[in-house]
Amino acid sequence: MGTLIRLSVGLVTTGSVAAWAVLNDRIDVYRFGGGRIIQLLDPENAHKFAIFAAKRGFAPRQQHSYSEWEGLQTQVWGRHFANPIGLAAGFDKHAEAIDGCLAMGFGFVEVGSVTPEPQPGNPKPRVFRLIKDRAVINRYGFNSVGLEAFEKNLKARESQHEVQPGVVGVNLGKNKTTPEAEAGVDYSRGAIKLCEYADYIVVNVSSPNTPGLRNLQGKDPLRSLLGSVVSARDSALASRAHDARPPILVKIAPDLHEHNLRDVAEVVMELGIDGIIVSNTTVGRPDKLLSSSDVVKEAGGLSGPPLRELSTKILGDIYRLTEGKVPLVGCGGVSTGEDAYMKIRAGASLVELYTALIYDGPRAVSRIKGELAEALQRDGFKSVQEAVGADHTQ
Ligand SMILES: Cc1cc2nc3c(=O)[nH]c(=O)nc-3n(C[C@H](O)[C@H](O)[C@H](O)COP(=O)(O)O)c2cc1C
């Protein structure tokens, strides 16, 4: 009995010390195989744990000694980005861990998607790892705390003593129960409520997990939707000079055909929309997936390396269709600096990632930036900006 008690006390103590060490970054969880341990949690709990850690400043941070190549600094929409690598939407869905995420070394963080009213999203399980492909399928379905609570989180951040420097984008979605025809009202509510906190606003019409959402990428619905969001922002910030208002971007799916892409490009140019994020997850399932068919056939959007080729191709198409005149954010399957470099050459001014963080942990951010700097210098570029769209000119 005594032995049993001693054993239990020992286990609890060791567990607590280990948890303390991990949470305080005394141990790099990822370097010591912790990535695999975190992966023993089911994907949604692992996500919650990661947000918990980032929110309390326990997630691994970029070392202070890290020195970044100056050429990674860039300027888009008149805003300064310390580097072009950002965290894509969907990780910090409720804007609760912005500083923890920026501290990982990202140049910018996109929070959301947020829906006007709180909603639970789809039933669980709704996130699946495709480990052999280092990919993920998710069908969260916009689980959101809603605008009220989301704004509270942003307000609380503003009232903090110190915030991490970096650009913060706000990604807007619509409620599941809002009819497609009234989608403009949902996105406009988001823009009005949150524009004062946002460095840029994203109209997300490409998540595959809200029925009918992707129809909003069609020419007429998109024109009307983006038109209302621009007006909503302008009326909410009428006292601000035009260039001090947050730019509005639209985020598109990688599954659009050439004629859909042409429509998107036309509407964006016609309305003077400030940027396009290419892309969200895909509903396609490439033949070359290695993971078991049980998980591959789960419904939802696929992200990670299997999405890379498709999303980079669509990015190049959009760059061509918008004649290089609209800043693009390349997203989809980036897990190395070379991947980011390919997006930049294809036309991206900025690059986002999410799934790589799930598999490689926060240390991936510094690694990717280092590799990107090396690739740019290897090819004779003095800055990110110089390389944007290089594939189209050479
Ligand atoms: C678990 C998960 C949740 C996501 N949630 C959102 C979301 O709420 N809004 C959004 O615009 N994109 C969302 N995305 C898509 C990502 O922002 C990104 O576009 C996509 O994952 C491709 O990038 P990646 O291959 O680097 O992950 C989500 C992705 C994942 C994996």
Side-chain angles (χ1 to χ4, degrees):
M1 191 63 174
T3 316
L4 200 61
I5 292 173
R6 269 203 303 280
L7 193 64
S8 312
V9 171
L11 279 174
V12 168
T13 312
T14 314
S16 311
V17 170
W20 174 85
V22 164
L23 292 178
N24 286 286
D25 201 19
R26 297 303 192 276
I27 292 175
D28 178 346
V29 266
Y30 287 88
R31 191 171 302 157
F32 290 98
R36 266 186 225 121
I37 293 170
I38 290 173
Q39 284 180 20
L40 291 177
L41 295 172
D42 80 78
E44 185 158 349
N45 282 326
H47 183 185
K48 280 190 189 142
F49 175 81
I51 288 290
F52 169 88
K55 189 171 171 177
R56 284 162 183 79
F58 296 145
R61 309 168 139 248
Q62 184 169 265
Q63 306 292 322
H64 283 304
S65 58
Y66 178 85
S67 86
E68 205 148 284
W69 179 53
E70 263 181 20
L72 288 185
Q73 295 183 24
T74 192
Q75 198 82 10
V76 188
W77 308 298
R79 278 150 182 82
H80 175 78
F81 290 74
N83 71 76
I85 307 296
L87 176 58
F91 178 71
D92 189 2
K93 277 182 182 276
H94 316 310
E96 37 184 355
I98 296 173
D99 293 295
C101 295
L102 285 170
M104 293 174 196
F106 286 110
F108 64 110
V109 166
E110 191 173 313
V111 291
S113 298
V114 56
T115 57
E117 298 302 325
Q119 65 174 33
N122 287 323
K124 297 174 189 173
R126 50 193 181 176
V127 196
F128 307 87
R129 293 189 191 99
L130 283 68
I131 292 176
K132 286 187 181 153
D133 301 290
R134 299 178 73 76
V136 165
I137 290 175
N138 94 83
R139 53 167 181 270
Y140 266 116
F142 287 166
N143 52 315
S144 177
V145 292
L147 287 176
E148 212 55 60
F150 195 94
E151 185 194 22
K152 240 187 219 161
N153 291 342
L154 290 170
K155 240 188 200 143
R157 177 174 187 253
E158 283 204 340
S159 64
Q160 273 170 210
H161 240 6
E162 246 180 87
V163 293
Q164 283 285 331
V167 171
V168 178
V170 172
N171 179 308
L172 305 174
K174 76 176 256 301
N175 279 115
K176 185 177 178 181
T177 50
T178 305
E180 246 168 86
E182 290 160 34
V185 177
D186 272 19
Y187 289 95
S188 298
R189 280 180 65 190
I192 290 168
K193 188 87 166 163
L194 302 176
C195 59
E196 68 174 287
Y197 307 94
D199 292 315
Y200 68 87
I201 291 172
V202 182
V203 177
N204 173 17
V205 282
S206 47
S207 284
N209 306 309
T210 296
L213 191 87
R214 286 173 301 151
N215 297 339
L216 299 170
Q217 295 170 111
K219 196 171 189 176
D220 292 336
L222 189 64
R223 182 186 287 120
S224 135
L225 172 61
L226 292 177
S228 11
V229 176
V230 171
S231 310
R233 176 206 57 187
D234 288 346
S235 62
L237 294 176
S239 60
R240 271 200 211 172
H242 201 269
D243 57 3
R245 297 175 194 168
I248 292 175
L249 283 64
V250 60
K251 182 168 179 180
I252 64 170
D255 307 312
L256 296 177
H257 297 294
E258 173 80 20
H259 66 276
N260 307 123
L261 292 176
R262 214 172 297 127
D263 289 348
V264 170
E266 223 177 286
V267 171
V268 162
M269 307 266 276
E270 179 189 316
L271 299 184
I273 296 302
D274 303 282
I276 310 175
I277 303 186
V278 190
S279 72
N280 214 309
T281 55
T282 176
V283 290
R285 297 291 181 265
D287 291 338
K288 57 184 182 204
L289 289 176
L290 304 168
S291 303
S292 88
S293 58
D294 285 356
V295 62
V296 166
K297 64 176 193 259
E298 288 292 348
L302 173 71
S303 58
L307 166 64
R308 185 175 56 240
E309 216 174 289
L310 175 65
S311 58
T312 307
K313 149 105 186 35
I314 301 289
L315 173 72
D317 291 347
I318 280 283
Y319 184 84
R320 189 174 33 80
L321 290 164
T322 51
E323 300 158 16
K325 292 180 181 156
V326 178
L328 305 178
V329 182
C331 180
V334 171
S335 61
T336 67
E338 203 66 39
D339 300 338
Y341 179 51
M342 290 301 140
K343 300 265 187 207
I344 292 166
R345 291 190 62 109
S349 295
L350 297 165
V351 174
E352 288 183 337
L353 59 88
Y354 180 171
T355 304
L357 198 65
I358 297 176
Y359 285 94
D360 299 336
R363 304 279 179 212
V365 184
S366 311
R367 175 180 53 76
I368 290 170
K369 289 190 295 183
E371 292 165 352
L372 171 61
E374 262 177 49
L376 286 161
Q377 291 173 91
R378 177 195 66 209
D379 290 354
F381 293 109
K382 292 197 184 61
S383 68
V384 170
Q385 244 151 347
E386 256 188 38
V388 173
D391 282 346
H392 302 267
T393 51
Q394 287 168 6

